[in-house]
Amino acid sequence: FFQAEDGIRDVAVTGVQTCALPISLPALRAQAADEAAMVAAAKKEGTVTCYSNADPAATERTLRAFSAKYGIQADLQRLTGAALAQRFTAELETGNNLSDLFISSDPVFPKQAIAKGWLLKADDLPALAAWPKEGLPSGLVPINVNPYVLAWNSSIVPAGLTSFEQLNDPKYRGKVLVGDPRVLASARLWYVAIIQKYGENFLRELGKHAAYSPSVVPGLQQVASGAMAIYAPTILLSASDIMDRGAPIKVAIVDPIVASQSLAAIPAKAPHPAAARLLLNYWMTPEGQEVYSKGSYSLLPGVPGTRGVLNGVVDLDPEAGERELTRINTLLGIG
């Protein structure tokens, strides 16, 4: 186990990131012409609304950069966990869809939505020319790769942590915070991986003393304030943002490595489809990825400010978290 000075181990996601093929001159010209048409159409609409449960700081800075570049107002409607899917579904069913771009870290709902025709496959954007060909699961765009990390308050735990096993260390009882699997669909896969590695008794013990956070950002804030000493699982992108603002937090990528992907798509009934198309295309470019994925991982090779390639991710069925939810809750004593 290697831990860097900032508390993050650099590891290299297998089969996720590949080198992009060079783009030919005719392709570059066609891409430029398409982008010019996209910009003109988007400017006519003038505004775009993004529904997201992804990291708010990274999302907001990307929307600001997009607005500054194109002069198009970009608004964020952020909801956590299942609430995002519930609102999106309710709006569709009432014929009042307000979202132009949908981004969710839920490993199941976006794929169901695209299969139902609620979301459109990203198959004609100019930025696709440089995007890894295997990097569009079910036609969705993974706008980053986010490993779950172990986070701690460096003032309370000055020696640092090296394993998820330490969540059950008696000296941290009353100071351990974990993601609430009843709310955080993306975190359920982490619980599946923890059971596989440490067994059911580990979760039974964890459930006897841990507190639960319904969202990553409030959880990190509790650790930063000293109300809690340790938090898991939290995502690297959100942790990097709060550490950049001077919070006394350190993190480490430890086994089992579970990665979350924020999956993006344009709703079939988007009110501003041209602006949504331009925004998603921007998010997929090296410029957009540099803004959004700062301090984390991108599927696009060679993006400045990102951590390169992530290896060693546990191979899990994306639907395993849903299937195992009752078991997870029962073991934790919250069923």
Side-chain angles (χ1 to χ4, degrees):
F1 174 86
F2 169 74
Q3 192 170 341
E5 287 185 4
D6 62 357
I8 302 175
R9 178 178 57 150
D10 280 326
V11 294
V13 177
T14 300
V16 172
Q17 188 169 3
T18 60
C19 293
L21 295 174
I23 305 174
S24 66
L25 183 58
L28 283 171
R29 288 172 176 162
Q31 177 176 323
D34 193 4
E35 287 180 352
M38 286 171 55
V39 172
K43 282 183 175 293
K44 288 182 180 179
E45 292 177 346
T47 186
V48 62
T49 298
C50 176
Y51 276 30
S52 172
N53 70 354
D55 178 73
T59 304
E60 287 168 357
R61 68 172 175 254
T62 305
L63 295 180
R64 287 195 299 269
F66 170 81
S67 294
K69 182 178 180 71
Y70 295 110
I72 295 169
Q73 180 180 336
D75 299 316
L76 173 63
Q77 177 63 57
R78 185 177 186 273
L79 294 169
T80 59
L84 181 70
Q86 291 168 355
R87 174 162 178 171
F88 180 75
T89 302
E91 288 183 358
L92 277 176
E93 291 175 344
T94 58
N96 187 36
N97 181 66
L98 302 177
S99 63
D100 296 307
L101 183 62
F102 182 86
I103 302 173
S104 175
S105 58
D106 186 324
V108 176
F109 178 78
K111 294 177 182 179
Q112 293 175 338
I114 208 164
K116 293 176 180 178
W118 295 353
L119 298 174
L120 302 176
K121 291 184 178 181
D123 54 11
D124 65 344
L125 298 174
L128 282 171
W131 200 256
K133 300 310 177 197
E134 69 276 25
L136 291 175
S138 303
L140 296 156
V141 178
I143 54 175
N144 76 326
V145 179
N146 230 330
Y148 283 118
V149 297
L150 179 61
W152 63 91
N153 184 299
S154 56
S155 299
I156 302 174
V157 191
L161 301 172
T162 60
S163 170
F164 287 124
E165 283 187 287
Q166 292 170 283
L167 292 170
N168 280 338
D169 190 321
K171 66 184 176 184
Y172 300 125
R173 284 182 177 270
K175 286 289 187 178
V176 172
L177 188 66
V178 293
D180 192 334
R182 296 165 294 187
V183 179
L184 298 172
S186 57
R188 293 168 190 165
L189 289 176
W190 177 82
Y191 283 100
V192 172
I194 289 294
I195 293 172
Q196 290 179 356
K197 186 171 180 64
Y198 298 118
E200 292 185 342
N201 283 336
F202 185 87
L203 249 62
R204 290 192 183 99
E205 186 63 27
L206 185 63
K208 292 177 182 177
H209 66 89
Y212 298 91
S213 175
S215 181
V216 167
V217 174
L220 285 167
Q221 290 170 343
Q222 284 188 271
V223 174
S225 70
M228 288 292 178
I230 305 172
Y231 180 35
T234 187
I235 58 174
L236 177 57
L237 188 60
S238 294
S240 296
D241 288 334
I242 197 167
M243 288 190 293
D244 285 347
R245 297 196 295 272
I249 286 179
K250 296 289 185 181
V251 303
I253 301 174
V254 297
D255 294 325
I257 302 172
V258 178
S260 168
Q261 291 185 335
S262 295
L263 301 172
I266 298 170
K269 297 182 179 180
H272 308 101
R277 191 167 179 264
L278 182 63
L279 175 57
L280 183 53
N281 188 78
Y282 172 77
W283 223 305
M284 296 174 69
T285 64
E287 179 182 344
Q289 284 291 292
E290 182 177 0
V291 173
Y292 182 76
S293 297
K294 174 187 175 185
S296 187
Y297 297 86
S298 171
L299 270 80
L300 199 61
V303 176
T306 62
R307 293 183 169 271
V309 182
L310 180 67
N311 252 341
V313 176
V314 178
D315 186 15
L316 295 170
D317 179 350
E319 297 188 8
E322 297 297 312
R323 291 198 305 267
E324 296 288 344
L325 180 57
T326 299
R327 179 188 180 199
I328 292 167
N329 290 344
T330 300
L331 291 171
L332 291 170
I334 58 175

